[in-house]
Amino acid sequence: AQRIAGRQPKKVSYHHNPMAENHHFGTTHPMKPWRLTLTNQLVLGYGLQDYMDCYSTRAATEDELAEFHSDDYLDFLKRVTPENADSFIQQLPHFNIGDDCPIFSGMWDFCTLYAGASLDAAKKLLAGQSDIAINWSGGLHHAKKSEASGFCYINDIVLAILQLLRYHPRVLYIDIDVHHGDGVEQAFFSTDRVMTLSFHKYDKDNFFPGTGSSDDIGGGAGKHYSLNVPLKDGIDDENYLRLFKSIVRPVIETYRPASIVLQCGADSLGADRLGCFNLNLTAHGACVEFVKAFGLPLLLVGGGGYTPRNVSRLWCFETSIATDTDVGTELPPQLDQSFREYFAPEYVLHPKLGTDGRYENKNTKKHLENVRIRIMEQLRYLGG
Ligand code: ZL4
Ligand code: CA
Ligand code: ZN
């Protein structure tokens, strides 16, 4: 990789722990933590570590997790294993353990590691030691105070935002995962100190988690501080990016956050196993670039992404955007053959995604204009 000429590069920190990658939710479960191994191989293959501070992260402590999660839930998560799960049988439904969120071996270590990385990243931003801090293992936006949900057990985003709120009067959360960022929205539903903005596929009865309509706006002191952009199948690069920019700019200019947390879920890419949008890496990355250009302390976290080769392509590409480097369009020449195989058949960084016609674009101009207008209407209430 090479620095892009003529830019003032940002101080970037990369928070990573290979121990978080070797866990299995189950052989056929869509969440594959080894997508992070693949991401890191690309990052190292391009030499991006030379352009950022890389930190090996530590496990979050139970006290740190208790800033958001309830003690009985943490106690359960810490103690339950596949071997002793029978003795917790009555509690499993209570904590929403099941097919989406199974008990797997090393689950507690996995959870504390990805949460520790987001906490470390937030602290780097607060210390002014990073302008952009990256944790691709985080972004697990569905976890609730006392319950697992949608492959998420601990809500590392909420924990990181709570840290930022110690010094920052207002934090903006933006979520471009194909799913609604319900756990983060719910945690900050009644405060005006966090604005949450999620772009997602919305279909109340047929797409998880079924929340995030334009009417979902927050409550109490947080009324109008939850923003939602409900989309239909198949949105393409041009329409998504235009909508994203036309909403994010006025949101930042009106809300004036001290920092931004951007959840970069890769399941909004075309050809995702669970997603239904048609984005390419370039448009997804352009959202990151657009947010970065506001020059506020920025925490980048991962999230969904169920076609591992494309997840790793995306997050590596977004690491290059954060570091103002150009990685070109070819795979890194030094990439080990055993990893190169995953990138068949194109063996490039930017394959064309979402051209298989699996999802045609069901978002009319009218629909997109309506959701944008709903956001603008909400912004008019702020500070009033
Ligand atoms: C699976 O194959 O829509 C889980 C989940 C496990 C292995 C074997 C069990 C087979 C797809 C999904 C039965 C699975 C039935 N296995 C799962 C309403 C549902 C109830 C559970 O990107 N069944 C629930 C969650 C979503 C539902 C999406 C996105 C996370 C994020 C941030 C979470 N849950 C229907 C599904 C499989 C599985 C195959 C699956 N689950 C697809 N979509 C869901 O936003 C990280
Ligand atoms: Ca989202
Ligand atoms: Zn998702």
Side-chain angles (χ1 to χ4, degrees):
Q2 277 201 318
R3 263 310 180 200
I4 298 169
R7 299 229 194 137
Q8 185 59 261
K10 302 283 182 191
K11 282 179 290 180
V12 180
S13 58
Y14 189 75
H15 301 264
H16 169 249
N17 190 330
M19 301 284 282
E21 299 165 7
N22 298 323
H23 294 93
H24 294 273
F25 282 58
T27 40
T28 61
H29 194 287
M31 180 56 102
K32 309 286 186 199
W34 60 265
R35 65 204 178 127
L36 300 165
T37 311
L38 214 49
T39 304
N40 215 46
Q41 285 300 316
L42 290 180
V43 166
L44 296 176
Y46 288 117
L48 294 179
Q49 70 280 10
D50 297 345
Y51 300 92
M52 51 192 187
D53 296 324
C54 297
Y55 295 94
S56 181
T57 54
R58 42 102 201 173
T61 65
E62 209 174 328
D63 283 346
E64 287 176 312
L65 304 181
E67 294 276 329
F68 175 55
H69 294 284
S70 67
D71 293 336
D72 64 330
Y73 177 52
L74 292 175
D75 196 53
F76 164 79
L77 282 183
K78 190 167 75 172
R79 288 166 43 208
V80 72
T81 65
E83 292 71 36
N84 69 16
D86 285 351
S87 59
F88 290 91
I89 199 91
Q90 308 92 330
Q91 299 188 52
L92 301 183
H94 178 66
F95 295 123
N96 198 24
I97 299 299
D99 286 327
D100 275 355
C101 301
I103 302 294
F104 59 90
S105 88
M107 184 176 80
W108 176 254
D109 292 339
F110 172 77
C111 292
T112 55
L113 285 169
Y114 76 72
S118 284
L119 288 168
D120 280 356
K123 286 175 184 176
K124 273 281 155 197
L125 296 172
L126 283 178
Q129 289 166 345
S130 311
D131 303 315
I132 304 178
I134 303 175
N135 171 25
W136 297 131
S137 68
L140 301 189
H141 59 177
H142 299 304
K144 309 287 157 46
K145 180 184 167 82
S146 301
E147 153 179 338
S149 176
F151 319 162
C152 308
Y153 302 80
I154 293 292
N155 201 317
D156 62 293
I157 304 169
V158 171
L159 294 168
I161 293 175
L162 288 171
Q163 287 304 311
L164 295 172
L165 287 174
R166 290 165 68 158
Y167 298 94
H168 293 174
R170 289 176 306 284
V171 176
L172 173 62
Y173 172 67
I174 307 175
D175 184 318
I176 58 174
D177 190 288
V178 75
H179 298 98
H180 177 223
D182 60 345
V184 185
E185 179 183 277
Q186 194 184 97
F188 300 112
F189 194 76
S190 48
T191 176
D192 54 6
R193 290 190 60 203
V194 178
M195 175 169 274
T196 60
L197 168 61
S198 177
F199 295 76
H200 45 266
K201 150 91 173 181
Y202 176 72
D203 182 349
K204 195 178 181 313
D205 299 314
N206 300 302
F207 197 74
F208 186 86
T211 50
S213 76
S214 292
D215 298 326
D216 178 358
I217 62 171
K223 191 171 178 192
H224 306 298
Y225 292 84
S226 298
L227 303 176
N228 284 293
V229 182
L231 300 168
K232 301 176 193 291
D233 283 351
I235 191 162
D236 58 19
D237 290 348
E238 196 190 330
N239 283 294
Y240 191 93
L241 193 54
R242 189 189 314 110
L243 184 68
F244 183 86
K245 290 179 173 175
S246 74
I247 289 173
V248 169
R249 179 184 299 287
V251 163
I252 294 175
E253 289 175 354
T254 309
Y255 188 58
R256 294 178 295 105
S259 55
I260 302 179
V261 178
L262 176 55
Q263 197 267 22
C264 302
D267 48 8
S268 42
L269 293 175
D272 186 80
R273 178 174 157 195
L274 298 191
C276 51
F277 289 171
N278 283 327
L279 302 186
N280 285 286
L281 271 59
T282 43
H284 201 287
C287 295
V288 176
E289 180 95 62
F290 186 74
V291 173
K292 169 177 174 270
F294 287 88
L296 294 163
L298 178 61
L299 173 54
L300 297 179
V301 293
Y306 306 100
T307 302
R309 62 183 182 282
N310 295 333
V311 178
S312 65
R313 283 167 162 136
L314 179 73
W315 291 344
C316 173
F317 177 57
E318 294 182 335
T319 305
S320 81
I321 290 170
T323 52
D324 288 291
T325 55
D326 183 1
V327 290
T329 56
E330 299 304 312
L331 291 177
Q334 23 321 45
L335 186 67
D336 199 272
Q337 188 55 39
S338 60
F339 290 106
R340 182 171 291 269
E341 291 170 2
Y342 291 104
F343 300 97
E346 313 91 339
Y347 300 104
V348 294
L349 187 63
H350 291 272
K352 279 199 165 50
L353 303 176
T355 50
D356 57 1
R358 198 161 58 112
Y359 293 102
E360 64 170 294
N361 187 3
K362 299 277 198 213
N363 297 275
T364 59
K365 292 275 173 214
K366 181 109 191 97
H367 175 70
L368 297 174
E369 183 56 11
N370 284 341
V371 297
R372 193 188 65 81
I373 288 171
R374 291 293 302 269
I375 300 278
M376 298 308 132
E377 283 171 358
Q378 277 197 74
L379 290 179
R380 283 200 253 120
Y381 287 98
L382 302 195

